[in-house]
């Protein structure tokens, strides 16, 4: 009241603080979920690689004399990654004229 603040200023301040705290906790939880999902994806890809390795051996043994089928398997079992842009090296700033 001494600084011309409304009577419910403290109530609004506490409400805002609680909302910020809740948003922060939610964001941290989402980040943790993302980290957990990334770890799970890595584990699943590792398992898939093991399975694909076994299937590669089977398909190679079975279709050694049928190159079309072997190429089709190699194409189907290969996972392509999205192309990545090459990172540009930053250019140093030009010095001001002397």
């Amino acid at each position: 009241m001494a600084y011309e603040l409304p009577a419910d200023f403290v109530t609004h301040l506490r409400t805002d603080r609680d909302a910020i705290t809740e948003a922060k906790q939610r964001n941290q939880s989402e980040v943790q979920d993302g980290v957990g999902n990334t770890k799970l994806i890595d584990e699943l890809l590792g398992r898939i690689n093991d399975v694909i390795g076994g299937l590669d051996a089977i398909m190679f043994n079975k279709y050694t004399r049928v190159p079309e089928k072997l190429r089709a398997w190699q194409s189907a079992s290969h996972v392509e990654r999205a192309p990545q842009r090459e990172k540009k090296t930053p250019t140093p700033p030009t010095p001001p004229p002397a």
Side-chain angles (χ1 to χ4, degrees), residues 15-28:
T15 303
D16 292 344
R17 180 199 61 201
D18 293 343
I20 290 170
T21 301
E22 181 183 330
K24 180 181 172 187
Q25 289 172 344
R26 186 173 52 249
N27 287 342
Q28 286 176 342

Side-chain angles (χ1 to χ4, degrees):
M1 302 281 194
Y3 296 101
E4 298 297 321
L5 295 172
D8 60 352
F9 174 79
V10 173
T11 304
H12 287 290
L13 186 62
R14 285 183 181 145
T15 303
D16 292 344
R17 180 199 61 201
D18 293 343
I20 290 170
T21 301
E22 181 183 330
K24 180 181 172 187
Q25 289 172 344
R26 186 173 52 249
N27 287 342
Q28 286 176 342
S29 174
E30 289 173 4
V31 167
Q32 289 297 337
D33 290 346
V35 169
N37 289 340
T38 300
K39 183 177 179 185
L40 179 61
I41 289 169
D42 286 343
E43 290 173 14
L44 292 174
L45 287 175
R47 290 184 204 166
I48 289 170
N49 283 337
D50 293 342
V51 171
I52 294 292
L55 290 174
D56 277 340
I58 292 169
M59 296 301 282
F60 182 79
N61 291 337
K62 186 170 183 172
Y63 294 113
T64 296
R65 297 178 189 262
V66 187
E68 300 82 29
K69 291 234 182 204
L70 195 55
R71 276 195 299 275
W73 164 253
Q74 289 169 340
S75 175
S77 66
H78 177 73
V79 177
E80 283 197 33
R81 299 187 184 269
Q84 301 292 319
R85 288 187 177 176
E86 195 173 311
K87 291 185 179 179
K88 295 181 181 179
T89 55
T91 57
T94 56

